[in-house]
Amino acid sequence: MRANDKLKDSATETISPSLATGSCRFSLQVATGTLCFVLALLFYYGAVLRIEFNRTGLLDLDPYPDAVEYFAQADSMLKDGVAVIQIGYDKLPSRYPPGYPLLMLPWLKLLPHNEILAPFRTNETIGLLLLISGFVFYVGIGRPLAAGLASLLLATQPAFISFSRSSISDLSGGAAIVVAFALVYLGLAWRRRWLIYCAAIILGLSLCIRPQLLFMAPLLIAMALFPANVSWTKWFMHCCLALAVFAIAASPYFVLNTLEFGDPLKTGYEFWVPTLADKQAAFSLHNVPRQGGMIWSEITASWDQFRVANLFGTGTYVVPAFIFLSALGLAFVRVRRFEISAFLAGIVYIMATVTYTYVEGRFYIPVFFLWVPLAVLPSEWAVGQALKRRLSIWNVGVLALFLLSCIGYPSQSGFTPQGGRSQAWDALHYANVNGKSPRYEAQKEFSRIFRDAPGIVLSDIDPAYLNVLLPKPFVAAPIDDSHQYGYSRLWHYGKAEAIQLVANGVSRATPVYALLLSSKDVPISGRIVHQDIKRLPVIQGYSWKRSNRTGTAAVIMTLIKDAPAPNLEPTFYSME
């Protein structure tokens, strides 16, 4: 009898906490999980939601050209129904697919007079929904303690926090993968094929956010592993149908490429930067050492290069304690149908990424998010043991790793990176960083001064950025051939095109302006740098005059017609 009681207790502990519903132990787990979830939400509010973006430099929409082109595409879709960027009067394709800009549209509609915030509000919303849905997912499968621990681990991940306050697509791509994995898990656990079909749809559509997510498609092998006693023919039909659903969902990405570039495998990169495609293959084993060096620097908290994560946070993606905790979670994994499909997808994605020519930690963000369920396994065990007052050196060690993961210590922050930092502390204090966005402040002041006299604006600020923010019918273009879009073989803009643009404006009596950030946003005794003046087009009979109405580091100049020279010839009068 006593042996049977022990067996029941063991089953209760290993299968699901929900079997102990109504007991004091389960109530304590629910309370602990709920407390962790509340802490996660409070931390997310402090590190992300309370940021006043007008007090930061984020409104410049770095990194260029990623954030600018996403924003410009969203604005174009809302106003014209086409995902393009504008340079001068030309409407041109973007380097990037339109999936993330499509997610911005609700916020663009809600923020008609402050649309620059749309990219940030979009990612803030995605991050919050990811936290809430993760908690609900674990509660739904009867693991309330794991629900709270997962929320807290996710909320304190540096990559999650940094990219929840970003203006680029990495968070939305990672969120799509997390949702797809969750649907496959539930589909296998509840024996509902339609959930796996939903995962196939999300995986297919995610290519319009980040094409690299194609390498997560092996997750769909779950349909072949589906636990059901059906005929071989029906099993094969479902496998083929899952692939067909994925292909149909992914087809918009390839159709758009075909319509825009004439080839389903060509992207905006071939349009704007064809030399990169000519020089090197996108995937090569020669890239593995560089990728491996970046991964090792993350594991050892010894990175020393400026990275995209520095723009939105501390520069760190994951901390060593979280990596070790996730690795420890492998010992708790029971290899079942879901685990087979999940590990296959993750391994294929990692193998593709480590051979990719661009070395960037943010490309691993979907993997970082998927490590959270691994890290939860030992954390749930250790906290559960602590709640039962069963302490040992092993669960104390796991608890220590969990706490170090949540506070993000030890790690590096900033650039040049400083060691011995706590990511949680730095994330909470990021919201207090004062500063302005020079590009945003310059265009805002220009709009205030010249709103009633629309015309052509030549600027060293990204023209796609200005063409979204300046009032219509202002048209922005580069000053000369020194700009981000100078590598295309199919579209060219240089000094000759700038002169032609200005000449056409003059011939139609359209005002022409120059908006400059002198010496890279640093004013020099209030005087414009001489080489910036020399860059402006020279039009016979016209000259550039500086406006004295600006109060920022920006320099605004207006093209004005030269006054006619006075007639100095002597006049003779006849005397009668």
XYZ file of all heavy atoms in Angstrom, residues 23-115:
742
model
N -4.876 20.873 -3.970
C -3.949 20.677 -2.864
C -3.229 21.974 -2.547
O -3.173 22.899 -3.357
C -2.933 19.587 -3.195
O -2.086 20.034 -4.226
N -2.650 22.005 -1.353
C -1.885 23.187 -0.936
C -0.686 23.400 -1.842
O -0.334 24.521 -2.166
C -1.449 23.012 0.514
S -0.474 24.382 1.164
N -0.083 22.253 -2.272
C 1.091 22.357 -3.125
C 0.747 23.024 -4.451
O 1.459 23.906 -4.919
C 1.656 20.957 -3.381
C 2.915 20.932 -4.227
C 3.300 19.506 -4.575
N 3.394 18.674 -3.374
C 3.488 17.357 -3.405
N 3.481 16.716 -4.559
N 3.579 16.665 -2.287
N -0.340 22.626 -5.057
C -0.727 23.206 -6.342
C -1.092 24.673 -6.192
O -0.742 25.507 -7.035
C -1.902 22.421 -6.926
C -2.322 22.905 -8.283
C -1.546 22.627 -9.400
C -3.485 23.641 -8.455
C -1.932 23.069 -10.656
C -3.865 24.081 -9.693
C -3.087 23.795 -10.805
N -1.770 25.011 -5.104
C -2.116 26.414 -4.859
C -0.867 27.265 -4.727
O -0.811 28.406 -5.219
C -2.964 26.531 -3.584
O -4.162 25.806 -3.719
N 0.151 26.724 -4.083
C 1.406 27.454 -3.929
C 2.092 27.635 -5.281
O 2.678 28.684 -5.557
C 2.317 26.701 -2.963
C 3.551 27.454 -2.440
C 3.136 28.759 -1.776
C 4.329 26.566 -1.485
N 2.006 26.624 -6.140
C 2.583 26.745 -7.478
C 1.843 27.796 -8.297
O 2.460 28.574 -9.020
C 2.535 25.388 -8.182
C 3.500 24.368 -7.619
C 3.443 23.057 -8.373
O 2.521 22.810 -9.146
N 4.430 22.207 -8.141
N 0.512 27.806 -8.188
C -0.276 28.823 -8.892
C 0.091 30.214 -8.416
O 0.286 31.138 -9.213
C -1.786 28.564 -8.699
C -2.603 29.726 -9.254
C -2.196 27.266 -9.375
N 0.207 30.386 -7.104
C 0.554 31.700 -6.550
C 1.943 32.131 -6.997
O 2.160 33.293 -7.369
C 0.461 31.652 -5.026
N 2.895 31.191 -6.981
C 4.265 31.522 -7.400
C 4.313 31.864 -8.881
O 4.979 32.836 -9.288
C 5.209 30.347 -7.105
O 5.124 29.992 -5.726
C 6.643 30.706 -7.457
N 3.612 31.079 -9.700
C 3.574 31.357 -11.133
C 2.945 32.697 -11.441
O 3.437 33.460 -12.274
N 1.858 33.002 -10.730
C 1.182 34.292 -10.941
C 2.077 35.453 -10.521
O 2.146 36.489 -11.200
C -0.138 34.325 -10.151
O -0.963 33.225 -10.540
C -0.881 35.631 -10.400
N 2.774 35.277 -9.396
C 3.694 36.323 -8.932
C 4.796 36.563 -9.961
O 5.129 37.727 -10.264
C 4.297 35.923 -7.591
C 5.354 36.875 -7.015
C 4.753 38.251 -6.751
C 5.954 36.300 -5.729
N 5.359 35.490 -10.502
C 6.402 35.647 -11.527
C 5.862 36.355 -12.762
O 6.547 37.184 -13.369
C 6.970 34.289 -11.909
S 7.984 33.520 -10.630
N 4.625 36.041 -13.139
C 4.023 36.687 -14.304
C 3.825 38.177 -14.065
O 4.105 39.002 -14.947
C 2.687 36.016 -14.620
C 1.956 36.617 -15.788
C 2.534 36.654 -17.053
C 0.687 37.157 -15.629
C 1.861 37.209 -18.131
C 0.009 37.704 -16.699
C 0.599 37.732 -17.956
N 3.364 38.530 -12.866
C 3.191 39.949 -12.527
C 4.534 40.661 -12.549
O 4.655 41.790 -13.063
C 2.502 40.090 -11.158
C 2.508 41.545 -10.707
C 1.072 39.570 -11.224
N 5.565 40.022 -12.011
C 6.901 40.617 -12.051
C 7.377 40.814 -13.482
O 8.012 41.826 -13.812
C 7.890 39.728 -11.285
C 7.742 39.689 -9.764
C 8.706 38.673 -9.171
C 7.977 41.073 -9.168
N 7.082 39.835 -14.349
C 7.468 39.944 -15.758
C 6.782 41.136 -16.422
O 7.415 41.905 -17.165
C 7.127 38.654 -16.504
N 5.484 41.314 -16.144
C 4.755 42.443 -16.731
C 5.286 43.770 -16.200
O 5.423 44.744 -16.958
C 3.264 42.308 -16.432
C 2.524 41.157 -17.118
C 1.050 41.156 -16.707
C 2.645 41.250 -18.639
N 5.578 43.828 -14.903
C 6.114 45.063 -14.327
C 7.479 45.387 -14.921
O 7.775 46.560 -15.214
C 6.219 44.927 -12.802
C 4.891 44.900 -12.035
C 5.137 44.623 -10.562
C 4.137 46.224 -12.213
N 8.302 44.366 -15.088
C 9.617 44.599 -15.687
C 9.471 45.064 -17.127
O 10.179 45.984 -17.569
C 10.452 43.313 -15.629
C 11.840 43.486 -16.181
C 12.847 44.063 -15.414
C 12.146 43.092 -17.467
C 14.121 44.238 -15.924
C 13.419 43.258 -17.990
C 14.410 43.830 -17.215
N 8.541 44.459 -17.869
C 8.327 44.853 -19.260
C 7.849 46.300 -19.336
O 8.275 47.065 -20.210
C 7.306 43.926 -19.918
C 7.174 44.111 -21.408
C 8.134 43.626 -22.282
C 6.086 44.790 -21.959
C 8.019 43.795 -23.651
C 5.959 44.970 -23.323
C 6.929 44.467 -24.156
O 6.820 44.647 -25.514
N 6.981 46.676 -18.416
C 6.536 48.075 -18.389
C 7.708 49.014 -18.111
O 7.889 50.019 -18.807
C 5.462 48.261 -17.321
C 5.147 49.715 -17.065
C 4.345 50.441 -17.939
C 5.695 50.388 -15.963
C 4.080 51.790 -17.728
C 5.435 51.731 -15.742
C 4.629 52.423 -16.627
O 4.387 53.761 -16.421
N 8.525 48.672 -17.117
C 9.627 49.545 -16.753
C 10.707 49.636 -17.810
O 11.337 50.685 -17.978
N 10.941 48.532 -18.534
C 12.041 48.505 -19.497
C 11.614 48.879 -20.904
O 12.453 49.280 -21.708
C 12.673 47.108 -19.520
N 10.312 48.761 -21.216
C 9.870 48.979 -22.596
C 8.732 49.994 -22.680
O 8.854 51.031 -23.338
C 9.421 47.640 -23.247
C 8.910 47.879 -24.674
C 10.557 46.633 -23.254
N 7.622 49.722 -22.011
C 6.408 50.497 -22.247
C 6.503 51.937 -21.759
O 5.842 52.823 -22.309
C 5.206 49.806 -21.586
C 4.859 48.421 -22.121
C 3.640 47.861 -21.396
C 4.591 48.470 -23.629
N 7.297 52.190 -20.752
C 7.336 53.562 -20.206
C 8.357 54.458 -20.903
O 8.512 55.618 -20.529
C 7.605 53.531 -18.703
C 9.033 53.267 -18.301
C 9.153 53.191 -16.799
N 10.530 52.966 -16.363
C 11.342 53.919 -15.930
N 10.931 55.168 -15.909
N 12.567 53.616 -15.546
N 9.024 53.949 -21.910
C 10.014 54.765 -22.623
C 9.331 55.917 -23.345
O 8.350 55.713 -24.069
C 10.813 53.915 -23.622
C 11.721 52.944 -22.884
C 11.656 54.790 -24.542
C 12.525 52.054 -23.789
N 9.837 57.105 -23.167
C 9.395 58.267 -23.933
C 10.324 58.398 -25.135
O 11.436 58.894 -25.015
C 9.427 59.519 -23.065
C 8.484 59.466 -21.872
C 8.563 60.732 -21.041
O 8.923 61.796 -21.608
O 8.281 60.658 -19.840
N 9.859 57.940 -26.273
C 10.734 57.877 -27.437
C 11.206 59.244 -27.891
O 12.259 59.369 -28.521
C 10.016 57.146 -28.584
C 9.874 55.673 -28.346
C 8.682 55.148 -27.882
C 10.932 54.814 -28.558
C 8.545 53.801 -27.644
C 10.812 53.470 -28.329
C 9.609 52.952 -27.869
N 10.446 60.283 -27.573
C 10.878 61.635 -27.931
C 12.112 62.074 -27.155
O 12.754 63.058 -27.518
C 9.738 62.631 -27.689
C 8.606 62.444 -28.671
O 8.834 62.086 -29.822
N 7.376 62.655 -28.226
N 12.432 61.347 -26.086
C 13.615 61.676 -25.285
C 14.800 60.782 -25.643
O 15.796 60.745 -24.924
C 13.298 61.525 -23.806
C 12.210 62.479 -23.298
C 11.956 62.254 -21.829
N 13.164 62.493 -21.037
C 13.312 62.088 -19.779
N 12.358 61.408 -19.187
N 14.433 62.351 -19.126
N 14.689 60.037 -26.705
C 15.771 59.155 -27.138
C 16.149 59.475 -28.584
O 15.456 60.240 -29.266
C 15.355 57.683 -27.057
O 14.388 57.399 -28.085
C 14.739 57.358 -25.713
N 17.216 58.850 -29.046
C 17.621 59.011 -30.439
C 16.969 58.000 -31.357
O 17.308 57.936 -32.545
N 15.998 57.208 -30.853
C 15.419 56.128 -31.645
C 14.581 56.622 -32.816
O 14.378 55.890 -33.785
C 14.565 55.224 -30.745
C 15.326 54.471 -29.647
C 14.367 53.639 -28.810
C 16.397 53.586 -30.248
N 14.070 57.865 -32.731
C 13.219 58.362 -33.806
C 13.995 58.646 -35.092
O 13.393 58.935 -36.130
C 12.476 59.626 -33.362
C 11.534 59.460 -32.175
C 10.693 60.712 -31.998
C 10.636 58.244 -32.337
N 15.308 58.556 -35.037
C 16.094 58.634 -36.272
C 15.911 57.391 -37.134
O 16.310 57.363 -38.298
C 17.585 58.791 -35.940
C 17.964 60.236 -35.698
O 17.123 61.120 -35.924
O 19.113 60.476 -35.275
N 15.313 56.344 -36.542
C 15.056 55.067 -37.234
C 16.339 54.403 -37.723
O 16.448 53.987 -38.878
C 14.066 55.247 -38.396
C 12.636 55.636 -38.017
C 11.742 55.576 -39.249
C 12.087 54.769 -36.912
N 17.304 54.294 -36.850
C 18.436 53.415 -37.109
C 17.978 51.982 -36.863
O 17.028 51.756 -36.100
C 19.591 53.760 -36.167
C 20.318 55.017 -36.601
O 20.465 55.207 -37.805
O 20.724 55.805 -35.726
N 18.614 50.963 -37.439
C 19.746 51.048 -38.360
C 19.287 51.351 -39.777
O 18.189 50.965 -40.192
C 20.336 49.637 -38.288
C 19.151 48.761 -38.012
C 18.251 49.560 -37.133
N 20.141 52.052 -40.504
C 19.871 52.359 -41.904
C 20.396 51.231 -42.772
O 21.474 50.700 -42.525
C 20.560 53.673 -42.292
C 19.799 54.898 -41.838
C 20.110 55.527 -40.635
C 18.759 55.407 -42.597
C 19.405 56.633 -40.208
C 18.056 56.520 -42.175
C 18.376 57.126 -40.987
O 17.673 58.213 -40.570
N 19.658 50.878 -43.835
C 18.364 51.427 -44.235
C 17.187 50.601 -43.730
O 16.045 50.859 -44.117
C 18.444 51.356 -45.754
C 19.215 50.102 -46.018
C 20.212 49.972 -44.888
N 17.426 49.609 -42.868
C 16.380 48.663 -42.479
C 15.120 49.348 -41.965
O 14.026 49.210 -42.532
C 16.907 47.709 -41.408
C 18.165 46.975 -41.819
O 19.071 47.615 -42.372
O 18.256 45.768 -41.570
N 15.267 50.069 -40.827
C 14.103 50.638 -40.168
C 13.390 51.654 -41.048
O 12.154 51.720 -41.072
C 14.525 51.283 -38.847
N 14.159 52.453 -41.780
C 13.557 53.468 -42.652
C 12.715 52.819 -43.739
O 11.588 53.244 -44.019
C 14.650 54.355 -43.271
C 14.082 55.203 -44.394
C 15.270 55.247 -42.209
N 13.237 51.774 -44.360
C 12.503 51.148 -45.468
C 11.267 50.408 -44.978
O 10.239 50.378 -45.664
C 13.430 50.226 -46.248
C 14.507 50.992 -47.012
C 15.201 50.156 -48.073
O 14.662 49.089 -48.444
O 16.279 50.568 -48.529
N 11.334 49.792 -43.797
C 10.132 49.182 -43.226
C 9.058 50.248 -43.012
O 7.883 50.065 -43.362
C 10.459 48.510 -41.886
C 11.220 47.218 -41.998
C 12.368 47.005 -41.237
C 10.791 46.190 -42.833
C 13.072 45.809 -41.314
C 11.497 44.998 -42.908
C 12.637 44.816 -42.151
O 13.325 43.638 -42.235
N 9.451 51.368 -42.420
C 8.517 52.447 -42.123
C 7.948 53.050 -43.399
O 6.738 53.289 -43.514
C 9.250 53.504 -41.297
C 8.404 54.676 -40.884
C 7.155 54.484 -40.330
C 8.873 55.969 -41.041
C 6.374 55.567 -39.943
C 8.112 57.052 -40.651
C 6.859 56.849 -40.100
N 8.810 53.267 -44.393
C 8.360 53.849 -45.654
C 7.392 52.916 -46.377
O 6.400 53.370 -46.975
C 9.566 54.159 -46.541
N 7.653 51.615 -46.340
C 6.740 50.661 -46.972
C 5.363 50.698 -46.310
O 4.335 50.674 -47.002
C 7.302 49.242 -46.861
C 8.419 48.920 -47.823
C 8.748 47.437 -47.770
O 8.119 46.617 -48.421
N 9.746 47.089 -46.981
N 5.343 50.737 -44.986
C 4.066 50.764 -44.274
C 3.270 52.006 -44.630
O 2.058 51.941 -44.898
C 4.311 50.707 -42.765
N 3.930 53.159 -44.660
C 3.256 54.408 -45.019
C 2.729 54.347 -46.450
O 1.605 54.790 -46.722
C 4.227 55.574 -44.859
C 3.602 56.908 -45.185
O 2.866 57.443 -44.338
O 3.835 57.410 -46.297
N 3.516 53.781 -47.349
C 3.091 53.677 -48.745
C 1.902 52.732 -48.892
O 0.973 53.000 -49.671
C 4.263 53.195 -49.600
O 3.869 52.967 -50.927
N 1.905 51.630 -48.149
C 0.775 50.699 -48.215
C -0.502 51.361 -47.714
O -1.585 51.150 -48.271
C 1.077 49.448 -47.395
C 1.976 48.452 -48.096
S 2.023 46.847 -47.261
C 3.093 47.234 -45.881
N -0.394 52.153 -46.659
C -1.578 52.798 -46.105
C -2.135 53.853 -47.043
O -3.358 53.959 -47.220
C -1.223 53.432 -44.756
C -2.362 54.129 -44.018
C -3.430 53.128 -43.612
C -1.830 54.869 -42.790
N -1.246 54.624 -47.688
C -1.696 55.760 -48.495
C -1.925 55.422 -49.966
O -2.812 55.963 -50.607
C -0.683 56.896 -48.381
C -0.586 57.455 -46.962
C 0.497 58.508 -46.823
C 0.573 59.042 -45.402
N 1.683 60.011 -45.213
N -1.086 54.505 -50.499
C -1.168 54.202 -51.931
C -1.487 52.746 -52.237
O -1.683 52.393 -53.394
C 0.158 54.567 -52.623
C 0.539 56.027 -52.407
O -0.372 56.873 -52.419
O 1.730 56.316 -52.212
N -1.476 51.890 -51.217
C -1.769 50.483 -51.437
C -0.633 49.686 -52.028
O -0.831 48.534 -52.429
N 0.572 50.258 -52.100
C 1.738 49.576 -52.671
C 2.917 49.741 -51.715
O 3.141 50.833 -51.187
C 2.106 50.159 -54.054
C 3.269 49.383 -54.653
C 0.914 50.115 -54.987
N 3.673 48.651 -51.510
C 4.821 48.689 -50.594
C 6.062 49.152 -51.338
O 6.793 48.355 -51.931
C 5.054 47.318 -49.975
N 6.312 50.463 -51.333
C 7.474 51.034 -52.021
C 8.117 52.084 -51.121
O 7.564 52.476 -50.094
C 7.077 51.686 -53.369
C 6.570 50.641 -54.343
C 6.047 52.794 -53.159
N 9.300 52.538 -51.525
C 9.941 53.683 -50.897
C 10.040 54.778 -51.956
O 10.015 54.493 -53.154
C 11.331 53.340 -50.346
C 12.286 52.934 -51.475
C 11.233 52.235 -49.305
C 13.716 52.706 -51.024
N 10.149 56.019 -51.505
C 10.187 57.147 -52.445
C 11.502 57.898 -52.303
O 11.916 58.272 -51.203
C 9.016 58.103 -52.207
C 8.983 59.275 -53.185
C 7.792 60.186 -52.983
O 6.845 59.836 -52.288
N 7.829 61.366 -53.586
N 12.156 58.130 -53.449
C 13.352 58.959 -53.518
C 13.116 59.968 -54.628
O 12.979 59.588 -55.802
C 14.612 58.134 -53.808
C 14.796 57.050 -52.737
C 15.849 59.032 -53.861
C 15.959 56.133 -52.978
N 13.064 61.233 -54.287
C 12.644 62.218 -55.270
C 11.212 61.929 -55.679
O 10.340 61.698 -54.838
N 10.969 61.907 -56.985
C 9.637 61.567 -57.481
C 9.508 60.083 -57.820
O 8.440 59.635 -58.234
C 9.319 62.399 -58.736
C 9.069 63.862 -58.443
C 10.059 64.817 -58.683
C 7.858 64.304 -57.929
C 9.844 66.161 -58.420
C 7.631 65.642 -57.659
C 8.624 66.571 -57.914
O 8.399 67.903 -57.646
N 10.576 59.318 -57.633
C 10.585 57.908 -58.029
C 10.050 57.021 -56.904
O 10.468 57.159 -55.749
C 12.001 57.461 -58.400
C 12.521 58.183 -59.634
O 11.704 58.628 -60.452
O 13.766 58.305 -59.767
N 9.158 56.099 -57.251
C 8.669 55.073 -56.330
C 9.424 53.786 -56.645
O 9.341 53.261 -57.756
C 7.165 54.859 -56.514
C 6.323 56.117 -56.334
C 6.362 56.616 -54.898
C 5.497 57.859 -54.703
N 4.070 57.586 -54.759
N 10.147 53.264 -55.641
C 11.101 52.188 -55.873
C 10.871 51.038 -54.901
O 10.314 51.223 -53.814
C 12.526 52.720 -55.696
C 12.914 53.862 -56.645
C 14.111 54.624 -56.099
C 13.226 53.309 -58.023
N 11.304 49.815 -55.282
C 11.143 48.673 -54.373
C 12.087 48.770 -53.186
O 13.129 49.424 -53.243
C 11.492 47.470 -55.258
C 12.417 48.032 -56.296
C 11.930 49.432 -56.569
N 11.728 48.102 -52.116
C 12.567 48.058 -50.921
C 13.451 46.815 -50.948
O 13.207 45.872 -51.693
C 11.687 48.038 -49.673
O 12.452 47.772 -48.517
N 14.480 46.840 -50.118
C 15.303 45.642 -49.944
C 14.543 44.528 -49.243
O 14.854 43.361 -49.393
C 16.539 45.969 -49.088
C 17.579 46.860 -49.734
C 18.598 47.254 -48.677
N 19.746 47.956 -49.222
C 19.776 49.250 -49.499
N 18.693 49.979 -49.285
N 20.855 49.828 -49.990
N 13.539 44.892 -48.453
C 12.955 43.957 -47.496
C 11.514 43.616 -47.844
O 10.784 44.436 -48.416
C 13.026 44.561 -46.089
C 14.386 45.107 -45.779
C 14.621 46.491 -45.741
C 15.466 44.259 -45.563
C 15.880 46.994 -45.477
C 16.735 44.760 -45.306
C 16.933 46.127 -45.263
O 18.185 46.622 -45.011
N 11.052 42.412 -47.473
C 9.664 42.022 -47.749
C 8.690 42.832 -46.902
O 9.058 43.418 -45.885
C 9.646 40.534 -47.384
C 10.771 40.347 -46.433
C 11.829 41.337 -46.832
N 7.410 42.851 -47.279
C 6.454 43.772 -46.647
C 5.696 43.206 -45.453
O 4.729 43.815 -45.005
C 5.477 44.056 -47.804
C 5.464 42.778 -48.585
C 6.859 42.213 -48.482
N 6.118 42.058 -44.908
C 5.358 41.462 -43.810
C 5.329 42.314 -42.559
O 4.257 42.590 -42.005
N 6.484 42.750 -42.093
C 6.523 43.586 -40.890
C 5.857 44.947 -41.122
O 5.094 45.408 -40.256
C 7.968 43.743 -40.416
C 8.156 44.729 -39.294
C 7.504 44.561 -38.080
C 8.980 45.833 -39.446
C 7.667 45.469 -37.045
C 9.159 46.737 -38.426
C 8.501 46.557 -37.221
O 8.661 47.465 -36.203
N 6.089 45.631 -42.256
C 5.338 46.874 -42.495
C 3.823 46.669 -42.450
O 3.087 47.556 -42.000
C 5.805 47.288 -43.896
C 7.174 46.732 -44.009
C 7.130 45.420 -43.276
N 3.357 45.503 -42.891
C 1.920 45.225 -42.841
C 1.417 45.211 -41.400
O 0.292 45.662 -41.116
C 1.641 43.888 -43.518
C 0.185 43.553 -43.834
C -0.392 44.548 -44.836
C 0.075 42.135 -44.391
N 2.236 44.729 -40.476
C 1.849 44.708 -39.066
C 1.780 46.108 -38.469
O 1.134 46.312 -37.435
C 2.846 43.863 -38.267
C 2.940 42.380 -38.641
C 4.033 41.701 -37.830
C 1.616 41.682 -38.432
N 2.453 47.070 -39.090
C 2.433 48.455 -38.584
C 1.124 49.186 -38.903
O 0.823 50.205 -38.269
C 3.562 49.266 -39.222
C 4.927 48.993 -38.712
S 6.040 50.249 -39.436
C 7.503 49.274 -39.656
N 0.384 48.719 -39.886
C -0.754 49.496 -40.395
C -1.767 49.877 -39.321
O -2.241 51.023 -39.314
C -1.434 48.735 -41.535
C -0.588 48.537 -42.794
C -1.405 47.863 -43.893
C -0.033 49.859 -43.299
N -2.153 48.978 -38.406
C -3.111 49.424 -37.371
C -2.596 50.601 -36.557
O -3.355 51.530 -36.258
C -3.281 48.158 -36.501
C -2.945 47.023 -37.409
C -1.865 47.541 -38.306
N -1.313 50.584 -36.206
C -0.762 51.689 -35.421
C -0.625 52.954 -36.267
O -0.784 54.073 -35.744
C 0.582 51.308 -34.821
C 0.445 50.557 -33.532
C 0.710 49.242 -33.302
C -0.033 51.094 -32.297
N 0.436 48.920 -31.997
C -0.012 50.033 -31.347
C -0.470 52.351 -31.884
C -0.426 50.210 -30.020
C -0.874 52.525 -30.568
C -0.846 51.472 -29.662
N -0.336 52.813 -37.548
C -0.283 54.001 -38.402
C -1.647 54.683 -38.466
O -1.742 55.914 -38.490
C 0.172 53.621 -39.812
C 1.680 53.470 -40.043
C 1.947 52.995 -41.456
C 2.411 54.776 -39.772
N -2.704 53.881 -38.479
C -4.052 54.460 -38.502
C -4.402 55.106 -37.171
O -5.114 56.116 -37.120
C -5.070 53.374 -38.840
C -4.962 52.856 -40.273
C -6.012 51.790 -40.547
C -5.916 51.284 -41.983
N -6.916 50.233 -42.282
N -3.886 54.530 -36.070
C -4.182 55.073 -34.749
C -3.341 56.296 -34.415
O -3.676 57.037 -33.490
C -3.948 53.997 -33.683
C -4.947 52.835 -33.665
C -4.475 51.751 -32.710
C -6.334 53.324 -33.278
N -2.238 56.498 -35.147
C -1.313 57.607 -34.852
C -1.153 58.507 -36.077
O -0.036 58.679 -36.586
C 0.047 57.054 -34.435
C 0.078 56.160 -33.188
C 1.409 55.445 -33.070
C -0.208 56.982 -31.933
N -2.218 59.087 -36.583
C -2.091 59.876 -37.816
C -1.192 61.091 -37.682
O -0.598 61.540 -38.659
C -3.537 60.284 -38.114
C -4.226 60.236 -36.787
C -3.579 59.112 -36.041
N -1.071 61.662 -36.482
C -0.262 62.865 -36.289
C 1.072 62.569 -35.593
O 1.827 63.488 -35.312
C -1.052 63.896 -35.463
C -2.362 64.262 -36.078
N -2.450 64.877 -37.313
C -3.645 64.070 -35.651
C -3.730 65.070 -37.616
N -4.470 64.587 -36.626
N 1.318 61.304 -35.316
C 2.585 60.929 -34.678
C 3.010 59.567 -35.214
O 3.383 58.677 -34.445
C 2.417 60.881 -33.161
C 3.715 61.167 -32.430
O 4.743 61.430 -33.047
N 3.674 61.102 -31.116
N 2.981 59.443 -36.538
C 3.174 58.140 -37.158
C 4.577 57.582 -36.972
O 4.790 56.366 -37.109
C 2.858 58.225 -38.652
C 3.682 59.259 -39.401
C 3.261 59.401 -40.845
O 2.465 58.570 -41.313
O 3.731 60.344 -41.506
